[in-house]
């Protein structure tokens, strides 16, 4: 593992869909334990960039390195095992599972303890240690009371929390959160911001946060990257980039 | 050249009938999102009705044609649309597939119940079958050939004109290009979809009466072959272009007849590979046509997640009730064992033994579809692989059947893994077609080879080998076979329950819920898929071997693809998500079958009718109609238990805001 190098390094990443350049020539770093906001108007290419980092899409050009290792050609699940956790813009939950099961399955997937023969010998009941971890994560995100509810009975807001908790159960070193606050009310959003700060501060997890709610971005991130129409148009502290006239024009153009 | 044309030309009329159905498939698939397996059944219905009207009701040909093809066929399509498919949410691909497969299984069975007579071939329309109208490159074209070619050409031409020149055609073309647009265009969507159904059903009916005169009697089988060829042709067009599908269909007809002419009639290629030609085309299209991989993929901005299944009955009952029910289960089990060993008559004992064997086989469907979330239409074929392996090993190496069963299971698992590897990129419909193709290839090989499959009588014990050995343990005349079969089922059931409760079950649950998110937390989907195929293949192989031991003969007919379809329909009816579902399905199947044996012969097929109609409820009750009833009756008893054991609450609630509503409205905001 590179001692000094960045946790995630994007160099000239590009991705086109037919004629649409969804992501063009994006270059930036995320340091270990750092919290970076990725903002931009609708269709800027934020989700596409996430998909390139996680391997759901293959970038056409450029390189993506995680802890100094190139991710080229690695399938999604291997990237996840390297320590990249992710939540989705369109909540992706496992419909017939309870909240606790979500975390347990993530824990098992992370530790790769799954063996068919263990199942057959009834040796795969959750261990005390696993239960403790799962309870801890649920408490952190505030889902303890819903632990045994099937997610099909939860609202969208809670589903987002389940996704976040599931990603955290995998103990990622980098968390990619795609609009985690959409569908949450004000109160829940404030709680979410608190959770994001805690995981960054206490667990040392780096966070790359996509958000339309600039309030939460301002509160959580150390640094922000602004995208528009697939390109990076600014980078710096949140206040800095918000002062940038290019950003004001592109991003806040409609509201200024 | 002369010889080539002489072989090729007679393939054209068959190719024409394939073309009509292929066009029908593409039209409904593009316009409504339903891949309608049931066109084969509709073609059969039209042919049977046409024939019956002429031969029993003594109507004139023309009147019979109008009633069967112009009136009834489209109405049947309309009924399917209005009563079934229009009620299934667009995103629920599994429900659409299951529904159309149940129609395919149920309708011919229903027809045989109501119209049990055997009809001779109907007349061909307009042209005289005994006249040779023209000779094309030395190949005579008689009236049958002429009517197939001329009417197909006319109908497809008329369709082309309608699609291009009329406003309705324009709307339909719009639907074929993008069914979304039609659906978003609120006013006409339902109408256009209904018209698409009616036209495609008309085409299928027409194909039916054009094909029927070629066979001496009106039976369901040729229509299934027709269907398969049509699917292959439609696949060549990636279910997109009707013109490409029609041309491909004619080419498949021509290629089949040409090869038939050139290949030596006794060769393996002739007997096994040639009938599989449509499948090889289908499999080729699935593997190499890039368009086929995109089937069912959620590129659709309006697609939403499948509505989650309601919690299982076991999950909602109060703990007290759970205890009582599990005690009851043990009591029933005990009674069953004691009864089997004491008072149950021999013939019923063997029926229930079959039930045990089928339970094992059906559990393979619980594994792959219930736990793995993949629809496989090859389960009977995989069971056959296991069964024939065991039977051959017994006959030639004298290996006891129980040992052969293990080898057979391993071999079936290997075949399933091969299938899984070939279809790694396929989902939903693509996977269903791939597995169907595999089942058919297996059928053709095993059925046509005397050495492998034992010919029409099936493969029995040979070389003085006793399948019941050692110690007569598996002798069908004693209780020992019951004990052996029962033990195997218990072992398999326990293994499945363990897997479901364990890590593998959890990982599969995640994969079923969302492949994207499952990969995102580090689950290797490829490996999980191969694993569940292997497990399911092994269990199917075990079930098939048990069945063969029970019957004393391995009959290829018992494992043909129609059974693969029927088995899925049965298990889906009783509940594909639970182990009990498979067992209840199996016992329901053998018991109803046995009871119908006492009724007049025509009712023999009623079993499939019953299950097929059960499976039509899949869209409403994906957890299985039986499971649904259980939950309902349990809720009725709940107050009683509350009173008896106060303070016990259900484990899990099922109320609350549904996830999809939230997901959809959010999409709407984004869009
Ligand atoms: N699978 C796809 N096929 C074709 N085009 C796509 C696909 N996914 C995204 N795009 C296009 O790429 C561009 C970037 O989309 P993306 O979803 O990455 O934006 P975003 O920044 O996440 O926007 P939002 O804030 O709305 O989530 C858009 O123009 C979009 O239409
Ligand atoms: Mg996005």
């Amino acid at each position: 593992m590179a001692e000094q190098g960045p946790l995630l390094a994007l160099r000239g990443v590009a991705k086109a869909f037919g004629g649409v350049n969804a992501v063009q020539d994006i270059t930036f770093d995320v340091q270990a334990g750092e919290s970076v906001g990725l903002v931009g108007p609708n269709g800027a290419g934020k989700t596409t960039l996430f998909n390139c980092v996680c391997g759901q899409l293959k970038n056409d050009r450029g390189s993506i390195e995680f802890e100094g290792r190139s991710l080229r050609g690695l399938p999604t699940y291997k990237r996840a095992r390297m320590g990249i956790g992710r939540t989705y813009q369109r909540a992706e939950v496992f419909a017939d599972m309870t909240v606790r099961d979500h975390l347990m399955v993530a824990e098992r997937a992370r530790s790769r303890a799954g063996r068919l023969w263990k199942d057959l010998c009834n040796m795969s009941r959750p261990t005390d240690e696993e239960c403790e971890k799962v309870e801890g994560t649920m408490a952190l995100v505030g889902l303890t009371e819903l632990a045994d509810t099937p997610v099909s009975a939860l609202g969208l807001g809670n589903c987002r929390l389940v996704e976040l908790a599931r990603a955290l159960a995998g103990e990622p070193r980098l968390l990619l959160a795609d609009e985690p606050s959409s569908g949450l009310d004000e109160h829940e959003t404030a709680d979410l911001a608190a959770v994001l700060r805690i995981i960054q501060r206490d667990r040392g997890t780096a966070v790359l946060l996509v958000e339309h709610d600039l309030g939460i971005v301002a509160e959580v991130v150390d640094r922000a990257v602004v995208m528009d129409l697939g390109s990076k148009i600014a980078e710096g502290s949140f206040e800095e980039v918000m002062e940038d006239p290019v950003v004001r024009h592109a991003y806040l153009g409609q509201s200024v | 050249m002369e010889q080539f044309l002489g072989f090729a030309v007679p393939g054209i009329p068959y190719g024409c009938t394939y073309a009509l159905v292929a066009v029908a498939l593409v039209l409904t698939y593009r316009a409504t999102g339903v891949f309608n397996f049931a066109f084969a059944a509709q073609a059969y219905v039209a042919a049977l009705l046409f024939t019956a009207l002429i031969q029993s009701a003594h109507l004139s040909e023309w009147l019979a044609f109008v009633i069967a093809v112009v009136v009834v066929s489209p109405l049947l399509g309309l009924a399917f649309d209005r009563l079934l498919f229009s009620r299934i949410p667009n995103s629920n691909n599994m429900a659409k597939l299951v529904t159309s497969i149940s129609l395919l299984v149920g309708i011919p069975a229903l027809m045989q119940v109501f119209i049990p007579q055997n009809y001779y071939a109907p007349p061909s329309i307009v042209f005289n079958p005994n006249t040779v109208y023209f000779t094309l490159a030395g190949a005579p074209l008689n009236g049958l050939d002429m009517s197939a070619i001329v009417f197909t050409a006319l109908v497809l031409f008329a369709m082309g004109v309608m699609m291009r020149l009329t406003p309705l055609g324009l709307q339909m073309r719009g639907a074929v290009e993008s069914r979304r647009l039609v659906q978003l265009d609120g006013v006409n969507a339902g109408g256009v979809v209904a018209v698409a159904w009616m036209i495609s059903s008309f085409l299928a009916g027409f194909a039916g009466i054009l094909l029927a005169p070629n066979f001496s009697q009106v039976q369901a089988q040729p229509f299934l072959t027709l269907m398969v060829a049509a699917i292959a042709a439609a696949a060549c067009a990636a279910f997109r272009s009707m013109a490409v599908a029609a041309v491909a269909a004619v080419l498949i007809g021509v290629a089949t007849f040409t090869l038939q002419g050139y290949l030596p009639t006794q060769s393996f290629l002739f007997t096994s590979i040639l009938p599989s030609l449509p499948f090889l085309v289908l499999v080729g299209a699935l593997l190499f046509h890039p368009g086929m991989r995109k089937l069912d993929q959620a590129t659709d901005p309006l697609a939403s997640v499948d509505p989650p299944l309601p919690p299982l009955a076991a999950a909602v009952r109060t703990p007290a009730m759970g205890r009582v029910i599990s005690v009851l289960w043990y009591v029933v089990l005990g009674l069953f064992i004691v009864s089997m060993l004491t008072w149950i008559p021999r013939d019923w004992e063997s029926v229930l033994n079959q039930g045990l064997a089928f339970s094992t086989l059906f559990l393979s469907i619980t594994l792959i579809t219930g736990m793995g979330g993949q629809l496989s239409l090859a389960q009977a074929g995989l069971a056959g692989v296991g069964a024939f392996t065991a039977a051959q090993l017994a006959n030639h190496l004298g290996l006891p059947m129980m040992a052969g069963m293990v080898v057979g299971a391993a071999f079936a698992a290997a075949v399933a893994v091969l299938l899984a590897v070939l279809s790694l990129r396929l989902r939903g419909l693509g996977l269903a077609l791939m597995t169907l193709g595999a089942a058919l290839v297996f059928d053709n090989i095993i059925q046509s080879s005397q050495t492998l499959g034992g010919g029409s009588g099936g493969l029995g014990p040979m070389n003085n080998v006793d399948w019941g050995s050692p110690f007569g343990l598996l002798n069908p005349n004693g209780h020992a076979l019951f004990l052996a079969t029962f033990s195997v089922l218990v072992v398999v059931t326990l293994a499945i329950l363990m897997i479901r409760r364990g890590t593998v079950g959890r990982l599969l649950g995640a994969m079923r819920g969302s492949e994207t998110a499952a990969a995102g937390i580090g689950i290797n989907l490829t490996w999980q898929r191969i694993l569940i195929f292997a497990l399911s293949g092994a269990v199917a192989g075990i079930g098939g071997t048990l069945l063969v031991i029970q019957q004393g003969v391995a009959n290829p007919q018992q494992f043909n693809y129609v059974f693969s379809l029927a088995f899925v329909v049965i298990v889906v009816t009783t509940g594909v998500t639970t182990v009990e579902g498979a067992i209840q399905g199996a016992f329901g199947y053998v018991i109803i079958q046995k009871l119908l044996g006492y009724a007049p012969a025509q009712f023999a097929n009623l079993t499939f009718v019953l299950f097929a109609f059960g499976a039509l409820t899949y869209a409403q009750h994906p957890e299985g109609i039986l499971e649904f009833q259980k939950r309902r009756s349990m809720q009725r008893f709940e107050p009683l238990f509350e009173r008896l054991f106060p303070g016990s609450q259900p484990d899990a609630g099922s109320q609350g805001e549904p996830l999809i509503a939230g997901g959809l409205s959010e999409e709407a905001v984004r869009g």
Side-chain angles (χ1 to χ4, degrees):
Chain A
M1 194 190 296
E3 275 292 299
Q4 300 300 326
L7 183 66
L8 178 75
L10 303 175
R11 294 288 171 268
V13 176
K15 173 79 198 172
F17 296 106
V20 182
N21 290 319
V23 170
Q24 326 179 37
D25 198 24
I26 295 289
T27 298
F28 68 88
D29 292 339
V30 177
Q31 306 297 333
E34 187 189 28
S35 170
V36 177
L38 181 61
V39 293
N42 285 116
K46 307 173 298 273
T47 302
T48 306
L49 188 64
F50 270 21
N51 285 339
C52 290
V53 173
C54 292
Q56 275 104 1
L57 290 174
K58 230 189 272 170
N59 46 314
D60 302 333
R61 267 173 292 119
S63 74
I64 303 174
E65 285 181 8
F66 185 72
E67 295 183 324
R69 276 180 58 190
S70 168
L71 296 182
R72 175 157 292 279
L74 289 183
T76 303
Y77 76 91
K78 284 200 177 146
R79 300 185 193 202
R81 288 176 184 179
M82 286 170 72
I84 303 179
R86 155 109 198 241
T87 75
Y88 301 83
Q89 183 168 359
R90 235 184 79 166
E92 296 273 358
V93 289
F94 308 138
D96 49 359
M97 288 193 184
T98 65
V99 173
R100 180 178 278 119
D101 283 341
H102 272 76
L103 302 205
M104 196 57 83
V105 75
E107 169 69 28
R108 284 284 161 87
R110 181 191 65 83
S111 62
R112 266 168 284 163
R115 288 285 177 275
L116 190 59
W117 64 266
K118 278 192 182 166
D119 288 358
L120 291 174
C121 303
N122 201 12
M123 281 166 58
S124 45
R125 263 174 293 186
T127 61
D128 291 345
E129 190 193 350
E130 283 173 333
C131 290
E132 228 167 81
K133 271 189 186 168
V134 165
E135 295 302 329
T137 312
M138 284 194 297
L140 174 68
V141 180
L143 283 170
T144 308
E145 269 155 36
L146 297 172
D148 291 310
T149 317
V151 289
S152 50
L154 297 180
L156 181 61
N158 281 324
C159 282
R160 293 214 174 277
L161 293 182
V162 171
E163 277 204 311
L164 181 63
R166 181 181 63 195
L168 293 178
E171 298 182 1
R173 253 152 302 159
L174 171 66
L175 174 71
L176 306 179
D178 201 345
E179 304 195 17
S181 83
S182 77
L184 302 189
D185 64 28
E186 243 170 79
H187 201 69
E188 291 167 325
T189 307
D191 290 347
L192 177 78
V195 172
L196 288 175
R197 271 198 312 262
I198 290 173
I199 57 176
Q200 187 208 350
R201 201 178 309 135
D202 299 357
R203 296 196 174 187
T205 309
V207 178
L208 185 56
L209 176 68
V210 166
E211 258 303 341
H212 281 299
D213 181 342
L214 293 180
I216 188 171
V217 180
E219 215 175 315
V220 173
V221 305
D222 306 325
R223 207 152 58 78
V225 172
V226 187
M227 283 178 73
D228 185 29
L229 298 175
S231 311
K232 184 175 88 171
I233 54 172
E235 182 175 358
S237 77
F238 184 72
E239 291 74 20
E240 260 168 46
V241 294
M242 283 304 136
E243 293 301 313
D244 190 324
V246 184
V247 173
R248 293 190 75 83
H249 179 73
Y251 189 60
L252 304 169
Q254 42 299 47
S255 57
V256 168
Chain B
M1 191 62 199
E2 187 80 340
Q3 190 191 19
F4 168 77
L5 285 175
F7 288 142
V9 168
I12 298 176
Y14 281 87
C16 286
T17 55
Y18 303 162
L20 286 175
V21 178
V23 168
L25 278 173
V26 175
L27 180 61
T28 30
Y29 182 69
R30 296 299 301 165
T32 73
V34 173
F35 188 84
N36 187 21
F37 284 94
F39 281 136
Q42 291 172 261
Y44 171 63
V45 168
L48 193 60
L49 190 62
F50 177 66
T51 317
L53 288 174
I54 293 172
Q55 291 175 16
S56 294
H58 305 293
L59 296 187
S60 77
E61 260 172 53
W62 281 108
L63 197 54
F65 173 80
V66 169
I67 295 177
V69 179
V70 182
V71 178
V72 173
S73 291
L75 282 182
L76 201 57
L78 186 66
F80 288 174
D81 175 41
R82 293 291 97 193
L83 299 179
L84 296 169
F85 292 107
S86 66
R87 298 173 185 216
I88 302 176
N90 202 20
S91 60
N92 196 343
N93 289 316
M94 184 74 113
K96 287 188 278 191
L97 279 173
V98 167
T99 306
S100 83
I101 290 171
S102 351
L103 289 173
L104 174 65
V105 172
I107 290 177
L110 187 69
M111 295 306 283
Q112 279 148 23
V113 172
F114 282 116
I115 312 186
Q117 294 94 323
N118 269 332
Y119 284 105
Y120 298 110
S124 72
I125 42 178
V126 179
F127 297 94
N128 181 350
N130 297 322
T131 311
V132 172
Y133 284 81
F134 301 31
T135 318
L136 191 62
L141 288 178
N142 65 22
L144 292 183
D145 304 334
M146 285 303 287
S147 60
I149 297 173
V150 171
F151 285 106
T152 302
L154 277 180
V155 167
L156 291 184
F157 178 73
M159 240 188 94
V161 170
M162 189 205 69
M163 296 290 269
R164 242 150 271 267
L165 301 181
T166 65
L168 178 71
L170 212 64
Q171 285 174 347
M172 286 240 290
R173 219 141 41 100
V176 173
E177 290 305 317
S178 154
R179 62 173 186 260
R180 286 290 151 215
L181 282 182
V182 168
Q183 277 170 355
L184 289 175
D185 174 18
V187 192
N188 264 321
V192 169
V193 164
V195 171
W197 268 101
M198 288 167 69
I199 291 182
S200 53
S201 301
F202 165 79
L203 294 176
F206 212 136
I209 66 152
L210 289 179
L211 189 67
N214 289 300
F215 298 90
S216 55
Q217 289 194 330
V218 184
Q219 282 171 337
Q221 185 55 43
F223 298 95
L224 295 173
T225 317
L226 162 79
M227 183 66 193
V228 169
I231 292 178
C236 291
F239 303 133
R240 252 164 204 289
S241 153
M242 290 187 252
V244 175
V247 172
V250 175
L251 287 181
I252 288 175
V254 167
T256 310
F257 276 74
T258 311
L259 289 175
Q260 222 163 41
Y262 281 112
L263 291 175
T265 41
Q266 290 308 314
S267 67
F268 175 72
L269 279 177
F270 185 87
T271 53
S272 305
I273 300 299
L274 191 57
S276 315
L277 182 73
F279 296 106
L280 298 180
V281 173
L282 173 63
V283 169
L286 286 166
L287 290 181
F288 302 114
H289 200 311
M292 297 299 284
R293 288 188 206 130
K294 301 211 180 84
L295 292 180
D296 286 353
Q297 271 177 15
T299 42
D300 186 340
L302 292 183
S304 62
V305 285
D306 280 0
L309 299 187
L312 298 181
V316 288
R317 58 172 85 122
T318 57
M321 193 142 150
R323 267 196 303 280
V324 172
I325 286 174
S326 66
V327 168
L328 275 180
W329 262 112
Y330 285 115
V331 171
V332 169
L333 202 62
L335 282 178
F336 174 69
I337 296 174
V338 171
S339 308
M340 281 295 264
L341 296 177
T342 53
W343 61 270
I344 290 188
R346 193 61 0 125
D347 61 331
W348 275 95
E349 179 172 340
S350 92
V351 166
L352 296 175
N353 274 345
Q354 266 188 44
L356 296 170
F358 274 118
S359 299
T360 316
L361 208 175
F362 288 2
L363 282 172
S364 76
I365 299 175
T366 309
L367 274 170
I368 195 149
T369 306
M371 283 170 65
Q374 321 280 340
L375 185 61
S376 160
L377 303 180
Q379 295 309 107
L382 291 173
V385 170
F388 279 95
T389 307
Q392 294 285 6
L393 287 175
N395 283 353
H396 294 293
L397 301 181
L399 198 66
M401 279 303 250
M402 276 297 185
M405 185 166 78
V406 177
V407 182
F411 191 49
V415 173
V417 167
L418 180 68
L419 194 56
V421 170
L422 283 178
S423 51
L424 274 181
R425 296 178 183 227
L426 301 171
R427 301 281 177 275
L429 176 59
L431 183 66
L433 292 178
M434 185 70 162
T435 49
L436 181 66
L440 277 147
V441 171
F442 167 77
D443 280 4
N444 283 328
I445 290 175
I446 203 85
Q447 280 185 19
S448 58
S449 162
Q450 185 76 30
T451 349
L452 288 178
S456 57
L459 186 71
M462 290 192 311
N463 307 334
N464 295 326
V465 168
D466 176 14
W467 283 6
S469 67
F471 323 121
L473 186 65
L474 304 177
N475 195 330
N477 299 319
H479 295 307
L481 179 62
F482 159 66
L483 291 175
T485 318
F486 183 74
S487 321
V488 172
L489 176 60
V490 168
V491 170
V492 169
T493 306
L494 287 179
I496 291 178
L497 287 175
M498 288 305 198
I499 292 171
R500 191 165 73 178
R501 212 181 305 158
T503 313
V504 174
R506 285 171 203 272
L507 299 185
L508 287 171
M511 183 172 91
R512 226 170 35 231
S514 158
E515 294 203 352
T516 313
I521 57 172
I523 297 177
N524 183 346
L525 298 180
T526 308
W527 170 245
Q528 291 303 320
R529 232 175 130 158
I530 290 174
L531 182 65
I532 194 68
F533 265 86
L535 287 172
S536 171
V539 170
I542 293 174
T545 312
L546 289 177
L547 203 58
V548 159
I549 295 174
Q550 157 67 31
Q551 298 181 332
V553 59
N555 193 334
Q557 293 301 335
Q558 183 118 51
F559 300 109
N560 78 26
Y561 75 101
V562 179
F563 282 100
S564 289
L565 299 177
F567 291 166
V568 168
V569 167
I570 291 172
V571 180
V572 159
T573 306
T574 49
V576 73
T577 47
T578 60
V579 168
E580 301 109 272
I583 295 175
Q584 287 155 349
F587 278 91
Y589 173 58
V590 294
I591 291 173
I592 296 175
Q593 197 90 307
K594 171 76 177 164
L595 290 177
L596 288 174
Y598 297 116
Q602 74 199 73
F603 292 109
N605 278 312
L606 207 55
T607 331
F608 291 127
V609 179
L610 289 177
F611 281 109
F613 279 92
L616 291 181
T617 60
Y618 179 82
Q620 272 77 47
H621 306 294
E623 77 276 30
I625 186 78
L626 224 66
E627 183 66 37
F628 167 73
Q629 293 296 352
K630 250 191 288 181
R631 198 151 37 94
R632 251 209 349 208
S633 50
M634 224 154 262
Q635 276 160 3
R636 211 166 299 153
F637 280 114
E638 218 136 69
L640 181 71
F641 274 85
E642 290 286 297
R643 232 174 306 143
L644 288 177
F645 308 93
S648 53
Q649 288 297 317
D651 287 347
S654 56
Q655 262 74 54
E657 177 197 345
L659 174 63
I660 4 143
L664 251 187
S665 59
E666 196 238 1
E667 277 303 325
V669 172
R670 294 256 150 268

